[in-house]
Amino acid sequence: MTSWHLCVVVVVLTVQENRGQNWLPVPQVVNVVTEWKEQRISVTWADGLLSPNFTEKLLFDIEILQDEWNHVVHHEKLKSGDHSWSWTSPIPLECTSHSVRVRSRHQQLISQWSIPHTIPGNDISSPKTIQVYPKDRVVHVGSITVFCCIVTEGHERIGGADMNVTRISNRSYEIVKHNLTPSPSAGYNLKCTDTSTASGGTTFWVGYSPNDQELVCETDLVSVECHWSRPRNTELFGRRETQYTLNGRKCKDLNHGKQLCKCSISLDQGEKYRNLTARNPLGSVELMDREDLNRRIRMQAPLNMTISEVHARNVTIQWNWKVEAYKTLPLMCRVQLNHSDHKGPYNNTGLSLLLLTDLQPDRSYRLQVCCGTDQHFWEWGSWSSVKFFQTKVDRPDALDIWIQRTSVHKTLIMWKCLSANDSHGQIRGYNVTLESSMGSKKQWFNVSRDKLSFLLELGDSSEDHVITVTALNSAGSSPPSTIGVPRLPTDNACSEVSGSNGSFDLSWPASANASCGYIVDWRPTHSWHNGTVEWVKVPAGITRSRIVSGNFKAGVRYSLSIYTCSQGAPELMEKKEGYVKEMVPAQSVQKLQINPSGPDVLLHWDRIPLESQQGFVRGYFVYKYDTSSRLISIENITDPDATTHTLRNLPHGSYKFIVKAYTSAGEGLGATASIKLDPESYGLIVVTLIALGSMACLFFFITIICYQKRKWMKEKIYPEIPKPKLPEWSALPVWQTLDLIQCPYDRIIIVESEEGLLEQWGGEGERHYTPDTDSSGPHELRCYDPVMSGGSQRPRTLVWSAPSSQDSSGSLGSRPTEVTYTGVQTPPTPAVSSGLPSPQDALSSEDYRPQISATFPMQPQSAPSNLPLLQVCLEYQPHSQHSLSPETGSLGGSLGNPTYVNSFTFLLNNTASEKSQEEDPSSSSLARFNNRHQQPFYCNPTYHSTHPTDG
């Protein structure tokens, strides 16, 4: 039986040995370790049963299977013959089940896979609530993080639009987050829901791992203090923030703002190295400092500091040290006064007492002290507590004075206000002394502390004067400041200067008289008073300066003067005017007026006031517009002193002119004026002037000619009119014109012929005279009797025919001109009625008679057609304006004016009149006619006579 068993074993071994040469054994998985938080799987295995004759090294393949469907998610060929392997899953291991299997490999031979070792996930059974993994995870900024949701089977997961969701098992869904940014202190929340409205979620944080560097440690001989730099914040807070340890001791006094760690370490413990570890959930970093701390001593602050002695310009301070080791160290200290004014360093062993000098009198100070080691100096220690003190009062410094001559007998002395550093106490007042250079007169004046100038009366201007000014405070008076009174300048020439960057850059030629340098003063040109004058003193040898003042304003003209400084009075070298910055004029030109002169227009304006120019006026622009505001032309006047401008040969129409002054900064406001040029206006004026001139000249020449020809013109135009003369009648010596005469008959026709006077009477008491057949035509004038007893009146007509042309002495036709005289006679008395002259006698007379133009009616039928008519009226008739032309045989036209002379009427002299009376027999007939007249009537007789030609 025993031999049988032995034979079976030998056969089996022989078979295995023969097979081992053709196949490999399957590895055996010995152990699988799961790290859930890190999502890591660690596997170890064994080779399996091998023949002792197999001595070669095997290689292995490993695979990771996922979910219930055993999907291969990872396959790896191991290059070495290790029997262990680790793998980090991209998804949390809780999301689904993972299986691991291994096989061996040798040359062309590959063994079978080992039996899978499964790590079950939480999705193998339906959870009561939705599960989200991983929980409370901290991940790196910018990383890709995978989350998963496990839901109840049969319910689908519902995700947001911003989620990339993939199903990895029946109950599990994968969610991927890309490019994560730093999270807030509370982290990010991830929420997952399904179709049953159930929800679940998790919170995660995104940050950086520590990156601290540059560890440096120092000591105050009591403890060690280390600090380092942190280029980047981890963005993690609370229990996830970075934790620091120094040489294994946790840093409790951690200052996050300064990355400072302070630990109590004794130097005699032999710790010569400092090791700092920084750690957070995303990683850790270690820093080391190897320097000797005896060379890195940073001292503590001085204690119990006191101020023992205070003077005007120095003070003594002292303090104590808390660390006894400082008293034996070589130290150096510095003092801080008023925050920025440092004094020192002061060196001494165990230094604890200092004397501070060069302080300002009557000034308050704020004082602090800090110290460091003089040997192997590392860094200044901490500042002490603050102490305050005030120095005592001292005499003021000398005043900076300047002078301005205001007139021949007056001068203004000025000085600058002393600063707190120069006054050395409160100023109580000023003393001003005026004395002549010969010492003949000296005056003292006290000036209150609120004044910075004083006006002095010089008196005798022929003497030189010297002025001295001192300042006073409780400690005494300042050193005297002396200046000579300069003479008034005789040359007021001034040049232009341009400012830049709010200042003036001045330069001037050197002067041999400038023993103590130069003085430059400035003030506003248009207005200045005591407070506006400023000055600066330039040392000798320097001939240029930049003038800067906080009172400079753009657009204000300043006058700058340069003086030489010597032992005597200052002497004026140059005067300049300028602007720190020129601006456009603030006002327009003043009082713009337009004066037209024909087609030319003269513009006149006043200059802009100096305070409104705001720059040097370089000229003027004249804009010309038409009625539609269209710009016609622009004229540039480059003369800055111009106040007039003429625009010539303007066409008629309406114009608007705008005048603008301009500076280097541009043109300012414009003054506007308008005018309308009529086309006839200037022509009418010219024509009127020419006509008036011509008329004046003509009148002048006419006057001269008339004066020279005055006698001839008087004879031709206005001859002398003879005075009226009455004939000497025996019966009635007086013949009056314009009187009413009595006509005793109703109708009288008197016809004068060669045979004599023919009388005819018609009607009651009517007598007819046979007319002359040679008469040129009858003339008839109706007259009316006075009112009869019955109230009626009859017209009387006196017709008188001129003699025939054969009778040269009595015919009317012998002359082409008729003269009509109308006389108004008063009725004669009966005693003299028979003595009236006949009408022919009256007509032959040359005496003046008023003229009347009578209306001549048609001749009566009983009268011949060629009889001349005599005007006969019953009563006085007003003189009328009617005239009859001589061509029709009528009487010449006569006006109502008694002085009117017809153009074809001749005035007869007395001789012709007398001759006419002798030759005309009708006068006797008319007298007989008047004597027979029984009943008086009134008429205006008109006498027609034809005068015989002379000779």
Side-chain angles (χ1 to χ4, degrees):
M1 186 67 181
T2 303
S3 60
W4 169 254
H5 288 164
L6 184 60
C7 289
V8 171
V9 172
V10 171
V11 171
V12 170
L13 291 175
T14 303
V15 172
Q16 288 183 354
E17 184 178 356
N18 292 331
R19 292 183 59 190
Q21 297 175 357
N22 298 313
W23 60 275
L24 296 177
V26 177
Q28 301 295 321
V29 176
V30 176
N31 188 22
V32 176
V33 178
T34 304
E35 299 178 53
W36 299 95
K37 188 175 183 180
E38 287 76 15
Q39 301 178 183
R40 185 181 298 113
I41 299 175
S42 299
V43 183
T44 59
W45 63 89
D47 292 339
L49 184 60
L50 290 175
S51 171
N53 298 329
F54 191 85
T55 58
E56 295 185 16
K57 190 175 182 179
L58 296 178
L59 299 178
F60 301 95
D61 295 338
I62 190 168
E63 284 185 347
I64 302 296
L65 308 176
Q66 198 177 74
D67 61 48
E68 62 267 25
W69 299 305
N70 289 326
H71 293 150
V72 177
V73 296
H74 184 76
H75 176 87
E76 186 175 347
K77 293 181 178 181
L78 303 182
K79 301 295 183 181
S80 63
D82 295 337
H83 292 73
S84 62
W85 176 77
S86 295
W87 175 72
T88 301
S89 174
I91 65 173
L93 299 177
E94 297 90 345
C95 295
T96 187
S97 299
H98 292 77
S99 299
V100 180
R101 62 182 182 179
V102 184
R103 69 180 179 183
S104 59
R105 176 167 44 83
H106 177 68
Q107 296 179 0
Q108 301 301 323
L109 298 178
I110 299 175
S111 70
Q112 297 294 323
W113 289 104
S114 65
I115 298 173
H117 184 87
T118 301
I119 303 169
N122 293 342
D123 64 338
I124 59 176
S125 61
S126 296
K128 296 180 180 179
T129 59
I130 296 177
Q131 302 293 323
V132 180
Y133 297 98
K135 301 226 182 249
D136 300 333
R137 177 65 59 87
V138 179
V139 297
H140 289 274
V141 174
S143 63
I144 300 175
T145 305
V146 179
F147 298 86
C148 68
C149 289
I150 302 175
V151 300
T152 304
E153 187 174 0
H155 295 85
E156 294 184 357
R157 187 265 171 197
I158 302 175
D162 59 338
M163 294 184 182
N164 185 9
V165 180
T166 303
R167 186 168 186 173
I168 58 176
S169 69
N170 291 333
R171 304 179 187 86
S172 183
Y173 294 86
E174 178 186 276
I175 302 172
V176 181
K177 289 286 186 179
H178 298 271
N179 299 323
L180 295 173
T181 58
S183 62
S185 59
Y188 291 128
N189 293 322
L190 180 66
K191 187 176 181 182
C192 188
T193 59
D194 62 12
T195 55
S196 65
T197 67
S199 64
T202 185
T203 302
F204 64 97
W205 288 264
V206 183
Y208 299 97
S209 61
N211 65 336
D212 301 83
Q213 56 190 7
E214 298 179 359
L215 176 65
V216 176
C217 297
E218 59 189 15
T219 182
D220 59 0
L221 301 182
V222 175
S223 61
V224 174
E225 184 177 276
C226 298
H227 53 85
W228 59 94
S229 62
R230 180 189 296 169
R232 181 188 61 203
N233 195 358
T234 61
E235 303 295 339
L236 298 176
F237 308 95
R239 59 188 180 89
R240 298 168 188 83
E241 67 182 356
T242 304
Q243 303 295 322
Y244 295 92
T245 58
L246 181 62
N247 286 358
R249 302 180 184 90
K250 187 174 181 180
C251 294
K252 296 180 180 180
D253 301 330
L254 186 62
N255 188 322
H256 296 284
K258 296 183 180 179
Q259 292 80 49
L260 181 67
C261 180
K262 189 174 183 180
C263 299
S264 298
I265 300 177
S266 177
L267 296 180
D268 56 4
Q269 291 181 354
E271 295 183 357
K272 295 183 179 181
Y273 305 113
R274 278 72 55 194
N275 189 10
L276 179 72
T277 301
R279 188 187 305 276
N280 72 4
L282 296 178
S284 63
V285 65
E286 290 188 2
L287 303 176
M288 182 172 289
D289 178 34
R290 299 177 181 273
E291 292 293 330
D292 184 5
L293 292 180
N294 288 318
R295 295 177 178 270
R296 291 183 177 179
I297 298 176
R298 186 176 184 273
M299 300 183 63
Q300 295 181 3
L303 299 177
N304 305 323
M305 188 170 61
T306 58
I307 300 173
S308 57
E309 296 182 12
V310 178
H311 301 281
R313 299 180 183 273
N314 59 73
V315 66
T316 302
I317 59 175
Q318 59 184 6
W319 63 89
N320 296 325
W321 293 113
K322 180 179 180 181
V323 180
E324 291 294 328
Y326 295 168
K327 297 179 181 181
T328 59
L329 291 176
L331 304 178
M332 60 179 179
C333 299
R334 62 175 181 170
V335 178
Q336 184 184 47
L337 297 174
N338 297 341
H339 301 287
S340 60
D341 187 10
H342 293 276
K343 288 187 175 296
Y346 304 93
N347 306 81
N348 203 348
T349 301
L351 186 62
S352 61
L353 180 68
L354 281 179
L355 175 64
L356 301 180
T357 59
D358 299 329
L359 302 180
Q360 294 294 330
D362 193 41
R363 183 175 179 183
S364 297
Y365 286 93
R366 177 184 183 276
L367 182 144
Q368 283 182 293
V369 178
C370 69
C371 299
T373 57
D374 192 11
Q375 185 179 8
H376 307 300
F377 177 79
W378 166 246
E379 193 176 82
W380 289 108
S382 302
W383 286 102
S384 66
S385 59
V386 178
K387 287 292 182 178
F388 296 93
F389 68 94
Q390 184 172 3
T391 54
K392 294 182 178 180
V393 178
D394 199 1
R395 296 174 58 189
D397 291 343
L399 292 170
D400 184 2
I401 64 174
W402 184 235
I403 193 170
Q404 287 276 325
R405 287 293 296 269
T406 58
S407 66
V408 176
H409 300 288
K410 292 183 180 180
T411 186
L412 182 68
I413 184 69
M414 300 168 289
W415 54 89
K416 291 183 179 180
C417 180
L418 292 173
S419 64
N421 293 337
D422 299 329
S423 63
H424 305 160
Q426 185 178 6
I427 299 297
R428 295 183 175 181
Y430 303 94
N431 287 336
V432 178
T433 303
L434 174 64
E435 61 179 332
S436 63
S437 59
M438 305 301 294
S440 60
K441 186 177 181 181
K442 192 172 184 179
Q443 302 179 62
W444 290 269
F445 305 94
N446 293 325
V447 183
S448 62
R449 66 180 184 181
D450 57 340
K451 293 185 177 180
L452 298 176
S453 63
F454 189 70
L455 187 63
L456 294 171
E457 293 282 350
L458 297 180
D460 187 3
S461 60
S462 62
E463 295 186 12
D464 293 334
H465 295 80
V466 177
I467 301 174
T468 303
V469 184
T470 59
L472 303 176
N473 66 6
S474 59
S477 64
S478 66
S481 300
T482 303
I483 190 172
V485 178
R487 297 190 178 275
L488 287 172
T490 57
D491 185 9
N492 294 323
C494 185
S495 60
E496 290 186 9
V497 61
S498 298
S500 61
N501 300 323
S503 62
F504 291 102
D505 290 321
L506 301 181
S507 61
W508 56 89
S511 174
N513 298 329
S515 59
C516 59
Y518 303 90
I519 301 101
V520 180
D521 72 356
W522 61 91
R523 61 178 175 83
T525 303
H526 62 275
S527 64
W528 70 280
H529 50 82
N530 300 347
T532 59
V533 179
E534 298 181 71
W535 65 93
V536 64
K537 294 182 178 180
V538 181
I542 299 177
T543 58
R544 60 187 310 111
S545 176
R546 167 166 286 190
I547 307 302
V548 180
S549 174
N551 296 325
F552 280 152
K553 295 180 181 179
V556 177
R557 183 181 293 189
Y558 292 93
S559 296
L560 300 97
S561 302
I562 304 172
Y563 295 82
T564 60
C565 176
S566 61
Q567 298 300 324
E571 296 181 3
L572 178 63
M573 293 179 58
E574 294 183 23
K575 289 185 67 176
K576 299 177 182 290
E577 287 186 358
Y579 297 83
V580 291
K581 181 181 180 181
E582 293 194 38
M583 301 176 67
V584 299
Q587 292 185 11
S588 61
V589 296
Q590 306 294 303
K591 300 178 182 179
L592 178 62
Q593 297 178 356
I594 298 181
N595 296 322
S597 177
D600 300 339
V601 171
L602 175 65
L603 300 178
H604 181 274
W605 62 86
D606 292 344
R607 300 189 66 184
I608 301 174
L610 180 62
E611 59 272 17
S612 300
Q613 290 182 10
Q614 300 194 143
F616 291 111
V617 174
R618 305 299 181 183
Y620 301 89
F621 285 122
V622 179
Y623 294 84
K624 182 171 65 175
Y625 295 87
D626 58 10
T627 54
S628 62
S629 297
R630 180 178 61 87
L631 180 63
I632 300 175
S633 65
I634 302 175
E635 298 190 21
N636 184 11
I637 305 173
T638 57
D639 182 9
D641 297 325
T643 56
T644 59
H645 181 66
T646 302
L647 295 99
R648 302 186 182 279
N649 300 322
L650 296 179
H652 65 271
S654 297
Y655 297 94
K656 181 176 72 172
F657 302 99
I658 299 178
V659 179
K660 296 182 180 181
Y662 64 87
T663 65
S664 61
E667 61 185 29
L669 302 176
T672 304
S674 300
I675 191 173
K676 182 178 180 181
L677 297 178
D678 279 331
E680 298 85 4
S681 60
Y682 58 87
L684 181 61
I685 293 173
V686 173
V687 171
T688 303
L689 293 177
I690 294 175
L692 291 176
S694 301
M695 291 177 63
C697 295
L698 182 61
F699 179 76
F700 178 73
F701 287 114
I702 291 176
T703 302
I704 294 176
I705 294 173
C706 290
Y707 180 76
Q708 293 176 350
K709 303 292 183 179
R710 59 186 181 278
K711 294 183 178 181
W712 178 81
M713 292 183 64
K714 182 177 181 183
E715 293 176 357
K716 294 297 182 182
I717 297 177
Y718 196 78
E720 292 184 1
I721 301 175
K723 295 181 179 180
K725 293 182 180 181
L726 297 176
E728 295 179 1
W729 297 325
S730 58
L732 184 61
V734 178
W735 177 264
Q736 296 180 354
T737 61
L738 301 178
D739 290 337
L740 298 176
I741 61 174
Q742 293 184 354
C743 297
Y745 299 106
D746 293 339
R747 181 177 179 82
I748 300 174
I749 297 177
I750 301 175
V751 178
E752 185 179 3
S753 64
E754 295 178 354
E755 300 170 355
L757 183 65
L758 175 63
E759 298 181 358
Q760 293 184 4
W761 300 90
E764 183 182 353
E766 180 178 289
R767 185 180 297 178
H768 295 277
Y769 294 88
T770 303
D772 186 4
T773 59
D774 296 331
S775 175
S776 60
H779 298 278
E780 179 179 337
L781 179 64
R782 291 181 179 274
C783 298
Y784 296 88
D785 290 334
V787 179
M788 309 302 289
S789 60
S792 62
Q793 56 183 357
R794 294 176 304 168
R796 269 78 167 169
T797 303
L798 178 63
V799 181
W800 178 36
S801 177
S804 65
S805 60
Q806 298 175 0
D807 189 357
S808 61
S809 61
S811 176
L812 292 174
S814 60
R815 296 180 66 93
T817 304
E818 293 180 351
V819 179
T820 301
Y821 299 93
T822 302
V824 181
Q825 300 177 359
T826 58
T829 60
V832 296
S833 60
S834 61
L836 291 173
S838 65
Q840 287 78 3
D841 297 335
L843 290 173
S844 301
S845 175
E846 194 180 6
D847 295 340
Y848 169 77
R849 294 291 185 271
Q851 303 174 20
I852 185 169
S853 176
T855 302
F856 296 91
M858 297 297 294
Q859 292 182 0
Q861 295 178 0
S862 60
S865 61
N866 58 349
L867 290 179
L869 298 179
L870 294 176
Q871 296 179 357
V872 180
C873 64
L874 295 176
E875 293 178 339
Y876 171 76
Q877 297 297 323
H879 294 221
S880 67
Q881 298 287 334
H882 301 288
S883 63
L884 297 175
S885 62
E887 286 79 9
T888 61
S890 64
L891 293 175
S894 62
L895 301 174
N897 191 340
T899 63
Y900 178 80
V901 179
N902 198 306
S903 61
F904 45 83
T905 301
F906 292 92
L907 298 178
L908 304 179
N909 53 25
N910 293 334
T911 305
S913 177
E914 292 174 0
K915 183 178 180 180
S916 177
Q917 272 188 337
E918 294 176 357
E919 296 177 357
D920 191 0
S922 63
S923 59
S924 59
S925 300
L926 184 60
R928 290 193 305 268
F929 161 74
N930 291 331
N931 290 331
R932 285 195 297 264
H933 189 62
Q934 300 297 328
Q935 185 176 355
F937 68 94
Y938 305 98
C939 68
N940 280 332
T942 302
Y943 302 101
H944 296 259
S945 64
T946 302
H947 296 274
T949 59
D950 296 338

